[in-house]
Amino acid sequence: MNFRTYGGLMEAVAIIAEFNPFHTGHAYLIRQVRRLSGTDAAIVVIMSGAFVQRGEPAFFDKWHRAAWAIEGGADAVIELPAVYALSSASGFALGGVTLAARLGCQSLACGVEAGTAEDFLSLARRADTLEIGPETAKKGSAGQARTDALMAAAPDEARLLEQPNALLAFEYARALLKQERPLSFLPLPRQGRHGDTGLGATFASASALRQAMTDHPGDEKPYISYIVERVRPSLQDQLTLGAFTDYRRYGDFVAGQNRLLTPDQLRRLPAFTEGLENRWYRAFAEAGDYDQALKLIKTRRYAYSRLCRMGAYTLLQPSRRLMDQSYEAGPQYARLLALNGRGAAFLKGARDRLAVITKIRQDLSKLTPLGREQLALDLRASDVQSFCFSKENQRKGHQDYYHSPIFIGIQK
């Protein structure tokens, strides 16, 4: 089969995603990208692995989620290293976009509530020229301070960023402008609203589906119409087996760990700044569970998602140095999770530009020292996730060493 090339590289469009879990809304986005890019282009998904950006384990393991994405129309799924998956929106976007660029993708697509590519790129250019004063910076995170400064400087244009997916698209645009080789930007209309908790609309949110699957893992399946038909048997098997995250178990794991950590130990972890480690230490000493502790810590200054990521840091123990160096140097490898024939053709060229990992033991020697540290964090994330699965017999560790990329034929 012959595929189109672009400047000597096979044409490819990247999608940065979590697919937590993969559903019909995600399949709709992939169909839109396929319609715009044609049958010869590869759709390459950069997907969060064992942990997601909201600061907790993904509901299902990364291999099944990746395979479901291929069944839903993608061509290759590459793991976004946990150091970026567990970052703020700017770090998440920078890691994903840089990995897409290093793989050789020429475009990046994402779903948004509103806005064009030029809207986001214009805001991104303007944001990086703004000076953020100390009073604005004191109100919250760097990302929030940047958004506030934009709202003050260009309120009409920046109103676009009030939507959650638009805010992430803005960070993608900022990351795109930092790449040595430019990628085109394809923001596409999103179906359904981010974070909706109910079922009943044409498309359901991943949050609503996770809740429905937790409440009805057995015979009653109010969520099933939102799952791509080809994916349904495999997804239902995982639910029946109990191979999905029990978030109460995860919360107990974090709370137990934090009873053992001192403020000095917390201070060495990313995001524990400005004395927050003392407030954190007191909260976990007093609270009876994870959610109660986070409520004691939460203020207007600290977003709930940031606190959840900090909870993940206390288990996974990434160093500040690892985070800082990773933001500076970018992803050091592409961990392949699943692919089809079109994805395999694309990856033949990608291997010349970036270390592609298919088997941990044999590919470890390809990595830089920073790459080995990034990969070690991915492995710890997988072990924590599996330990938190619903049924005991699904909690085996070191599963990264036993999984090879899943190959699925191109759907006719």
Side-chain angles (χ1 to χ4, degrees), residues 182-217:
L183 283 75
S184 60
F185 193 26
L186 302 173
L188 301 170
R190 176 185 170 89
Q191 300 296 311
R193 288 187 57 82
H194 177 86
D196 284 349
T197 57
L199 302 179
T202 304
F203 294 99
S205 72
S207 299
L209 293 175
R210 289 193 300 273
Q211 188 60 57
M213 291 172 189
T214 299
D215 294 342
H216 306 281

PDB file of all heavy atoms in Angstrom, residues 182-217:
ATOM      1  N   PRO A 182       7.441  23.640  12.335  1.00  0.00           N
ATOM      2  CA  PRO A 182       6.044  23.994  12.601  1.00  0.00           C
ATOM      3  C   PRO A 182       5.067  22.876  12.259  1.00  0.00           C
ATOM      4  O   PRO A 182       5.250  22.127  11.303  1.00  0.00           O
ATOM      5  CB  PRO A 182       5.810  25.213  11.697  1.00  0.00           C
ATOM      6  CG  PRO A 182       6.820  25.075  10.606  1.00  0.00           C
ATOM      7  CD  PRO A 182       8.024  24.438  11.226  1.00  0.00           C
ATOM      8  N   LEU A 183       4.043  22.735  13.085  1.00  0.00           N
ATOM      9  CA  LEU A 183       2.921  21.842  12.821  1.00  0.00           C
ATOM     10  C   LEU A 183       1.690  22.707  12.598  1.00  0.00           C
ATOM     11  O   LEU A 183       1.510  23.736  13.258  1.00  0.00           O
ATOM     12  CB  LEU A 183       2.657  20.898  13.998  1.00  0.00           C
ATOM     13  CG  LEU A 183       3.573  19.696  14.192  1.00  0.00           C
ATOM     14  CD1 LEU A 183       4.919  20.123  14.760  1.00  0.00           C
ATOM     15  CD2 LEU A 183       2.908  18.677  15.139  1.00  0.00           C
ATOM     16  N   SER A 184       0.834  22.293  11.686  1.00  0.00           N
ATOM     17  CA  SER A 184      -0.434  23.008  11.519  1.00  0.00           C
ATOM     18  C   SER A 184      -1.388  22.586  12.626  1.00  0.00           C
ATOM     19  O   SER A 184      -1.256  21.504  13.212  1.00  0.00           O
ATOM     20  CB  SER A 184      -1.028  22.725  10.144  1.00  0.00           C
ATOM     21  OG  SER A 184      -1.272  21.341   9.972  1.00  0.00           O
ATOM     22  N   PHE A 185      -2.353  23.450  12.923  1.00  0.00           N
ATOM     23  CA  PHE A 185      -3.264  23.244  14.046  1.00  0.00           C
ATOM     24  C   PHE A 185      -4.677  23.070  13.510  1.00  0.00           C
ATOM     25  O   PHE A 185      -5.146  23.869  12.697  1.00  0.00           O
ATOM     26  CB  PHE A 185      -3.179  24.439  14.985  1.00  0.00           C
ATOM     27  CG  PHE A 185      -3.825  24.223  16.333  1.00  0.00           C
ATOM     28  CD1 PHE A 185      -3.949  22.951  16.885  1.00  0.00           C
ATOM     29  CD2 PHE A 185      -4.299  25.304  17.058  1.00  0.00           C
ATOM     30  CE1 PHE A 185      -4.537  22.765  18.116  1.00  0.00           C
ATOM     31  CE2 PHE A 185      -4.883  25.137  18.298  1.00  0.00           C
ATOM     32  CZ  PHE A 185      -5.003  23.859  18.831  1.00  0.00           C
ATOM     33  N   LEU A 186      -5.370  22.018  13.973  1.00  0.00           N
ATOM     34  CA  LEU A 186      -6.718  21.693  13.504  1.00  0.00           C
ATOM     35  C   LEU A 186      -7.680  21.562  14.684  1.00  0.00           C
ATOM     36  O   LEU A 186      -8.038  20.457  15.096  1.00  0.00           O
ATOM     37  CB  LEU A 186      -6.705  20.378  12.716  1.00  0.00           C
ATOM     38  CG  LEU A 186      -5.807  20.294  11.486  1.00  0.00           C
ATOM     39  CD1 LEU A 186      -5.793  18.861  10.946  1.00  0.00           C
ATOM     40  CD2 LEU A 186      -6.294  21.267  10.416  1.00  0.00           C
ATOM     41  N   PRO A 187      -8.138  22.669  15.271  1.00  0.00           N
ATOM     42  CA  PRO A 187      -9.182  22.568  16.293  1.00  0.00           C
ATOM     43  C   PRO A 187     -10.531  22.271  15.643  1.00  0.00           C
ATOM     44  O   PRO A 187     -10.939  22.961  14.709  1.00  0.00           O
ATOM     45  CB  PRO A 187      -9.165  23.941  16.971  1.00  0.00           C
ATOM     46  CG  PRO A 187      -8.511  24.857  16.008  1.00  0.00           C
ATOM     47  CD  PRO A 187      -7.692  24.048  15.056  1.00  0.00           C
ATOM     48  N   LEU A 188     -11.208  21.242  16.109  1.00  0.00           N
ATOM     49  CA  LEU A 188     -12.450  20.781  15.501  1.00  0.00           C
ATOM     50  C   LEU A 188     -13.593  20.863  16.509  1.00  0.00           C
ATOM     51  O   LEU A 188     -13.379  20.684  17.715  1.00  0.00           O
ATOM     52  CB  LEU A 188     -12.288  19.337  15.019  1.00  0.00           C
ATOM     53  CG  LEU A 188     -11.166  19.125  13.989  1.00  0.00           C
ATOM     54  CD1 LEU A 188     -10.936  17.641  13.764  1.00  0.00           C
ATOM     55  CD2 LEU A 188     -11.504  19.824  12.690  1.00  0.00           C
ATOM     56  N   PRO A 189     -14.823  21.109  16.049  1.00  0.00           N
ATOM     57  CA  PRO A 189     -15.955  21.242  16.974  1.00  0.00           C
ATOM     58  C   PRO A 189     -16.149  19.978  17.810  1.00  0.00           C
ATOM     59  O   PRO A 189     -16.192  18.864  17.274  1.00  0.00           O
ATOM     60  CB  PRO A 189     -17.147  21.481  16.048  1.00  0.00           C
ATOM     61  CG  PRO A 189     -16.558  21.993  14.787  1.00  0.00           C
ATOM     62  CD  PRO A 189     -15.224  21.337  14.646  1.00  0.00           C
ATOM     63  N   ARG A 190     -16.250  20.168  19.098  1.00  0.00           N
ATOM     64  CA  ARG A 190     -16.426  19.057  20.028  1.00  0.00           C
ATOM     65  C   ARG A 190     -17.900  18.746  20.195  1.00  0.00           C
ATOM     66  O   ARG A 190     -18.740  19.649  20.228  1.00  0.00           O
ATOM     67  CB  ARG A 190     -15.812  19.429  21.391  1.00  0.00           C
ATOM     68  CG  ARG A 190     -16.018  18.394  22.491  1.00  0.00           C
ATOM     69  CD  ARG A 190     -15.487  18.918  23.820  1.00  0.00           C
ATOM     70  NE  ARG A 190     -15.888  18.046  24.909  1.00  0.00           N
ATOM     71  CZ  ARG A 190     -15.191  17.000  25.333  1.00  0.00           C
ATOM     72  NH1 ARG A 190     -14.048  16.707  24.742  1.00  0.00           N
ATOM     73  NH2 ARG A 190     -15.612  16.252  26.338  1.00  0.00           N
ATOM     74  N   GLN A 191     -18.219  17.449  20.329  1.00  0.00           N
ATOM     75  CA  GLN A 191     -19.591  17.011  20.603  1.00  0.00           C
ATOM     76  C   GLN A 191     -19.691  16.613  22.078  1.00  0.00           C
ATOM     77  O   GLN A 191     -18.925  15.781  22.552  1.00  0.00           O
ATOM     78  CB  GLN A 191     -19.957  15.817  19.729  1.00  0.00           C
ATOM     79  CG  GLN A 191     -19.887  16.107  18.238  1.00  0.00           C
ATOM     80  CD  GLN A 191     -20.893  17.163  17.816  1.00  0.00           C
ATOM     81  OE1 GLN A 191     -22.069  17.092  18.152  1.00  0.00           O
ATOM     82  NE2 GLN A 191     -20.428  18.159  17.075  1.00  0.00           N
ATOM     83  N   GLY A 192     -20.631  17.206  22.823  1.00  0.00           N
ATOM     84  CA  GLY A 192     -20.754  16.934  24.250  1.00  0.00           C
ATOM     85  C   GLY A 192     -19.884  17.875  25.053  1.00  0.00           C
ATOM     86  O   GLY A 192     -18.959  18.506  24.542  1.00  0.00           O
ATOM     87  N   ARG A 193     -20.177  17.993  26.352  1.00  0.00           N
ATOM     88  CA  ARG A 193     -19.459  18.928  27.211  1.00  0.00           C
ATOM     89  C   ARG A 193     -18.521  18.187  28.141  1.00  0.00           C
ATOM     90  O   ARG A 193     -18.860  17.154  28.706  1.00  0.00           O
ATOM     91  CB  ARG A 193     -20.438  19.773  28.029  1.00  0.00           C
ATOM     92  CG  ARG A 193     -21.172  20.809  27.212  1.00  0.00           C
ATOM     93  CD  ARG A 193     -21.984  21.715  28.110  1.00  0.00           C
ATOM     94  NE  ARG A 193     -21.175  22.373  29.115  1.00  0.00           N
ATOM     95  CZ  ARG A 193     -20.455  23.465  28.904  1.00  0.00           C
ATOM     96  NH1 ARG A 193     -20.419  24.005  27.702  1.00  0.00           N
ATOM     97  NH2 ARG A 193     -19.751  24.008  29.870  1.00  0.00           N
ATOM     98  N   HIS A 194     -17.330  18.747  28.298  1.00  0.00           N
ATOM     99  CA  HIS A 194     -16.326  18.192  29.192  1.00  0.00           C
ATOM    100  C   HIS A 194     -16.860  18.149  30.622  1.00  0.00           C
ATOM    101  O   HIS A 194     -17.376  19.135  31.139  1.00  0.00           O
ATOM    102  CB  HIS A 194     -15.082  19.081  29.141  1.00  0.00           C
ATOM    103  CG  HIS A 194     -13.985  18.667  30.061  1.00  0.00           C
ATOM    104  ND1 HIS A 194     -13.048  17.727  29.698  1.00  0.00           N
ATOM    105  CD2 HIS A 194     -13.694  19.045  31.327  1.00  0.00           C
ATOM    106  CE1 HIS A 194     -12.207  17.562  30.700  1.00  0.00           C
ATOM    107  NE2 HIS A 194     -12.577  18.348  31.685  1.00  0.00           N
ATOM    108  N   GLY A 195     -16.745  16.995  31.279  1.00  0.00           N
ATOM    109  CA  GLY A 195     -17.101  16.902  32.687  1.00  0.00           C
ATOM    110  C   GLY A 195     -18.570  16.697  32.985  1.00  0.00           C
ATOM    111  O   GLY A 195     -18.957  16.619  34.149  1.00  0.00           O
ATOM    112  N   ASP A 196     -19.431  16.603  31.959  1.00  0.00           N
ATOM    113  CA  ASP A 196     -20.841  16.313  32.227  1.00  0.00           C
ATOM    114  C   ASP A 196     -20.951  14.988  32.980  1.00  0.00           C
ATOM    115  O   ASP A 196     -20.252  14.022  32.687  1.00  0.00           O
ATOM    116  CB  ASP A 196     -21.619  16.199  30.915  1.00  0.00           C
ATOM    117  CG  ASP A 196     -21.896  17.564  30.291  1.00  0.00           C
ATOM    118  OD1 ASP A 196     -21.666  18.567  30.975  1.00  0.00           O
ATOM    119  OD2 ASP A 196     -22.342  17.604  29.130  1.00  0.00           O
ATOM    120  N   THR A 197     -21.859  14.941  33.949  1.00  0.00           N
ATOM    121  CA  THR A 197     -21.950  13.755  34.804  1.00  0.00           C
ATOM    122  C   THR A 197     -23.127  12.857  34.481  1.00  0.00           C
ATOM    123  O   THR A 197     -23.294  11.817  35.106  1.00  0.00           O
ATOM    124  CB  THR A 197     -22.045  14.185  36.286  1.00  0.00           C
ATOM    125  OG1 THR A 197     -23.176  15.059  36.436  1.00  0.00           O
ATOM    126  CG2 THR A 197     -20.781  14.910  36.711  1.00  0.00           C
ATOM    127  N   GLY A 198     -23.959  13.237  33.516  1.00  0.00           N
ATOM    128  CA  GLY A 198     -25.132  12.436  33.213  1.00  0.00           C
ATOM    129  C   GLY A 198     -25.066  11.778  31.852  1.00  0.00           C
ATOM    130  O   GLY A 198     -24.263  12.127  31.004  1.00  0.00           O
ATOM    131  N   LEU A 199     -25.952  10.777  31.651  1.00  0.00           N
ATOM    132  CA  LEU A 199     -26.109  10.130  30.364  1.00  0.00           C
ATOM    133  C   LEU A 199     -27.425  10.604  29.754  1.00  0.00           C
ATOM    134  O   LEU A 199     -28.288  11.123  30.443  1.00  0.00           O
ATOM    135  CB  LEU A 199     -26.118   8.611  30.526  1.00  0.00           C
ATOM    136  CG  LEU A 199     -24.878   7.987  31.192  1.00  0.00           C
ATOM    137  CD1 LEU A 199     -25.048   6.477  31.314  1.00  0.00           C
ATOM    138  CD2 LEU A 199     -23.616   8.312  30.421  1.00  0.00           C
ATOM    139  N   GLY A 200     -27.580  10.398  28.449  1.00  0.00           N
ATOM    140  CA  GLY A 200     -28.839  10.768  27.820  1.00  0.00           C
ATOM    141  C   GLY A 200     -28.672  11.599  26.571  1.00  0.00           C
ATOM    142  O   GLY A 200     -29.545  11.622  25.707  1.00  0.00           O
ATOM    143  N   ALA A 201     -27.544  12.313  26.426  1.00  0.00           N
ATOM    144  CA  ALA A 201     -27.294  13.096  25.229  1.00  0.00           C
ATOM    145  C   ALA A 201     -26.732  12.186  24.130  1.00  0.00           C
ATOM    146  O   ALA A 201     -26.484  11.004  24.338  1.00  0.00           O
ATOM    147  CB  ALA A 201     -26.326  14.231  25.540  1.00  0.00           C
ATOM    148  N   THR A 202     -26.521  12.769  22.947  1.00  0.00           N
ATOM    149  CA  THR A 202     -25.971  11.996  21.830  1.00  0.00           C
ATOM    150  C   THR A 202     -24.598  11.431  22.172  1.00  0.00           C
ATOM    151  O   THR A 202     -24.275  10.286  21.870  1.00  0.00           O
ATOM    152  CB  THR A 202     -25.874  12.873  20.569  1.00  0.00           C
ATOM    153  OG1 THR A 202     -27.171  13.404  20.280  1.00  0.00           O
ATOM    154  CG2 THR A 202     -25.374  12.069  19.384  1.00  0.00           C
ATOM    155  N   PHE A 203     -23.764  12.268  22.808  1.00  0.00           N
ATOM    156  CA  PHE A 203     -22.450  11.832  23.271  1.00  0.00           C
ATOM    157  C   PHE A 203     -22.368  12.043  24.775  1.00  0.00           C
ATOM    158  O   PHE A 203     -22.892  13.029  25.297  1.00  0.00           O
ATOM    159  CB  PHE A 203     -21.332  12.615  22.581  1.00  0.00           C
ATOM    160  CG  PHE A 203     -21.240  12.354  21.102  1.00  0.00           C
ATOM    161  CD1 PHE A 203     -21.801  13.238  20.195  1.00  0.00           C
ATOM    162  CD2 PHE A 203     -20.601  11.229  20.613  1.00  0.00           C
ATOM    163  CE1 PHE A 203     -21.724  13.009  18.825  1.00  0.00           C
ATOM    164  CE2 PHE A 203     -20.511  10.983  19.249  1.00  0.00           C
ATOM    165  CZ  PHE A 203     -21.084  11.869  18.352  1.00  0.00           C
ATOM    166  N   ALA A 204     -21.692  11.132  25.470  1.00  0.00           N
ATOM    167  CA  ALA A 204     -21.523  11.245  26.920  1.00  0.00           C
ATOM    168  C   ALA A 204     -20.077  11.594  27.232  1.00  0.00           C
ATOM    169  O   ALA A 204     -19.166  11.271  26.470  1.00  0.00           O
ATOM    170  CB  ALA A 204     -21.898   9.929  27.604  1.00  0.00           C
ATOM    171  N   SER A 205     -19.855  12.245  28.372  1.00  0.00           N
ATOM    172  CA  SER A 205     -18.492  12.547  28.786  1.00  0.00           C
ATOM    173  C   SER A 205     -17.846  11.307  29.389  1.00  0.00           C
ATOM    174  O   SER A 205     -18.524  10.385  29.872  1.00  0.00           O
ATOM    175  CB  SER A 205     -18.487  13.671  29.822  1.00  0.00           C
ATOM    176  OG  SER A 205     -18.997  13.203  31.064  1.00  0.00           O
ATOM    177  N   ALA A 206     -16.527  11.297  29.399  1.00  0.00           N
ATOM    178  CA  ALA A 206     -15.799  10.190  30.030  1.00  0.00           C
ATOM    179  C   ALA A 206     -16.106  10.128  31.520  1.00  0.00           C
ATOM    180  O   ALA A 206     -16.175   9.032  32.098  1.00  0.00           O
ATOM    181  CB  ALA A 206     -14.300  10.349  29.782  1.00  0.00           C
ATOM    182  N   SER A 207     -16.306  11.275  32.155  1.00  0.00           N
ATOM    183  CA  SER A 207     -16.630  11.289  33.593  1.00  0.00           C
ATOM    184  C   SER A 207     -17.927  10.538  33.863  1.00  0.00           C
ATOM    185  O   SER A 207     -18.017   9.731  34.798  1.00  0.00           O
ATOM    186  CB  SER A 207     -16.765  12.734  34.090  1.00  0.00           C
ATOM    187  OG  SER A 207     -15.574  13.446  33.923  1.00  0.00           O
ATOM    188  N   ALA A 208     -18.947  10.825  33.045  1.00  0.00           N
ATOM    189  CA  ALA A 208     -20.231  10.152  33.218  1.00  0.00           C
ATOM    190  C   ALA A 208     -20.104   8.651  32.987  1.00  0.00           C
ATOM    191  O   ALA A 208     -20.709   7.838  33.702  1.00  0.00           O
ATOM    192  CB  ALA A 208     -21.262  10.750  32.268  1.00  0.00           C
ATOM    193  N   LEU A 209     -19.302   8.270  32.004  1.00  0.00           N
ATOM    194  CA  LEU A 209     -19.146   6.843  31.707  1.00  0.00           C
ATOM    195  C   LEU A 209     -18.393   6.124  32.814  1.00  0.00           C
ATOM    196  O   LEU A 209     -18.747   4.996  33.186  1.00  0.00           O
ATOM    197  CB  LEU A 209     -18.438   6.668  30.368  1.00  0.00           C
ATOM    198  CG  LEU A 209     -19.246   7.141  29.149  1.00  0.00           C
ATOM    199  CD1 LEU A 209     -18.404   7.047  27.889  1.00  0.00           C
ATOM    200  CD2 LEU A 209     -20.520   6.323  29.000  1.00  0.00           C
ATOM    201  N   ARG A 210     -17.353   6.740  33.357  1.00  0.00           N
ATOM    202  CA  ARG A 210     -16.629   6.106  34.469  1.00  0.00           C
ATOM    203  C   ARG A 210     -17.555   5.869  35.650  1.00  0.00           C
ATOM    204  O   ARG A 210     -17.515   4.811  36.288  1.00  0.00           O
ATOM    205  CB  ARG A 210     -15.442   6.980  34.898  1.00  0.00           C
ATOM    206  CG  ARG A 210     -14.307   7.022  33.906  1.00  0.00           C
ATOM    207  CD  ARG A 210     -13.051   7.629  34.528  1.00  0.00           C
ATOM    208  NE  ARG A 210     -13.235   8.992  34.987  1.00  0.00           N
ATOM    209  CZ  ARG A 210     -13.089  10.080  34.228  1.00  0.00           C
ATOM    210  NH1 ARG A 210     -12.760   9.948  32.940  1.00  0.00           N
ATOM    211  NH2 ARG A 210     -13.251  11.283  34.735  1.00  0.00           N
ATOM    212  N   GLN A 211     -18.398   6.860  35.941  1.00  0.00           N
ATOM    213  CA  GLN A 211     -19.318   6.708  37.061  1.00  0.00           C
ATOM    214  C   GLN A 211     -20.328   5.602  36.797  1.00  0.00           C
ATOM    215  O   GLN A 211     -20.612   4.768  37.670  1.00  0.00           O
ATOM    216  CB  GLN A 211     -20.045   8.031  37.333  1.00  0.00           C
ATOM    217  CG  GLN A 211     -20.891   8.017  38.601  1.00  0.00           C
ATOM    218  CD  GLN A 211     -20.070   7.747  39.841  1.00  0.00           C
ATOM    219  OE1 GLN A 211     -19.120   8.482  40.124  1.00  0.00           O
ATOM    220  NE2 GLN A 211     -20.409   6.704  40.589  1.00  0.00           N
ATOM    221  N   ALA A 212     -20.862   5.552  35.586  1.00  0.00           N
ATOM    222  CA  ALA A 212     -21.840   4.519  35.248  1.00  0.00           C
ATOM    223  C   ALA A 212     -21.216   3.136  35.278  1.00  0.00           C
ATOM    224  O   ALA A 212     -21.843   2.167  35.733  1.00  0.00           O
ATOM    225  CB  ALA A 212     -22.425   4.804  33.864  1.00  0.00           C
ATOM    226  N   MET A 213     -19.985   2.997  34.818  1.00  0.00           N
ATOM    227  CA  MET A 213     -19.313   1.699  34.837  1.00  0.00           C
ATOM    228  C   MET A 213     -18.976   1.261  36.249  1.00  0.00           C
ATOM    229  O   MET A 213     -19.027   0.067  36.576  1.00  0.00           O
ATOM    230  CB  MET A 213     -18.045   1.757  33.982  1.00  0.00           C
ATOM    231  CG  MET A 213     -18.328   1.879  32.492  1.00  0.00           C
ATOM    232  SD  MET A 213     -16.811   2.174  31.542  1.00  0.00           S
ATOM    233  CE  MET A 213     -17.512   2.521  29.923  1.00  0.00           C
ATOM    234  N   THR A 214     -18.642   2.207  37.107  1.00  0.00           N
ATOM    235  CA  THR A 214     -18.386   1.885  38.517  1.00  0.00           C
ATOM    236  C   THR A 214     -19.667   1.419  39.196  1.00  0.00           C
ATOM    237  O   THR A 214     -19.666   0.452  39.967  1.00  0.00           O
ATOM    238  CB  THR A 214     -17.821   3.114  39.248  1.00  0.00           C
ATOM    239  OG1 THR A 214     -16.590   3.502  38.633  1.00  0.00           O
ATOM    240  CG2 THR A 214     -17.570   2.806  40.719  1.00  0.00           C
ATOM    241  N   ASP A 215     -20.770   2.087  38.892  1.00  0.00           N
ATOM    242  CA  ASP A 215     -22.052   1.754  39.526  1.00  0.00           C
ATOM    243  C   ASP A 215     -22.672   0.489  38.947  1.00  0.00           C
ATOM    244  O   ASP A 215     -23.396  -0.228  39.653  1.00  0.00           O
ATOM    245  CB  ASP A 215     -23.039   2.916  39.345  1.00  0.00           C
ATOM    246  CG  ASP A 215     -22.613   4.168  40.084  1.00  0.00           C
ATOM    247  OD1 ASP A 215     -21.766   4.058  40.999  1.00  0.00           O
ATOM    248  OD2 ASP A 215     -23.099   5.262  39.740  1.00  0.00           O
ATOM    249  N   HIS A 216     -22.407   0.196  37.664  1.00  0.00           N
ATOM    250  CA  HIS A 216     -23.058  -0.942  36.990  1.00  0.00           C
ATOM    251  C   HIS A 216     -22.033  -1.760  36.199  1.00  0.00           C
ATOM    252  O   HIS A 216     -22.111  -1.835  34.966  1.00  0.00           O
ATOM    253  CB  HIS A 216     -24.149  -0.437  36.036  1.00  0.00           C
ATOM    254  CG  HIS A 216     -25.149   0.464  36.669  1.00  0.00           C
ATOM    255  ND1 HIS A 216     -26.183   0.007  37.445  1.00  0.00           N
ATOM    256  CD2 HIS A 216     -25.264   1.817  36.634  1.00  0.00           C
ATOM    257  CE1 HIS A 216     -26.906   1.045  37.866  1.00  0.00           C
ATOM    258  NE2 HIS A 216     -26.368   2.143  37.389  1.00  0.00           N
ATOM    259  N   PRO A 217     -21.068  -2.397  36.861  1.00  0.00           N
ATOM    260  CA  PRO A 217     -20.064  -3.160  36.113  1.00  0.00           C
ATOM    261  C   PRO A 217     -20.592  -4.479  35.556  1.00  0.00           C
ATOM    262  O   PRO A 217     -19.944  -5.108  34.727  1.00  0.00           O
ATOM    263  CB  PRO A 217     -18.973  -3.417  37.163  1.00  0.00           C
ATOM    264  CG  PRO A 217     -19.723  -3.436  38.461  1.00  0.00           C
ATOM    265  CD  PRO A 217     -20.829  -2.431  38.316  1.00  0.00           C
TER     266      PRO A 217
END
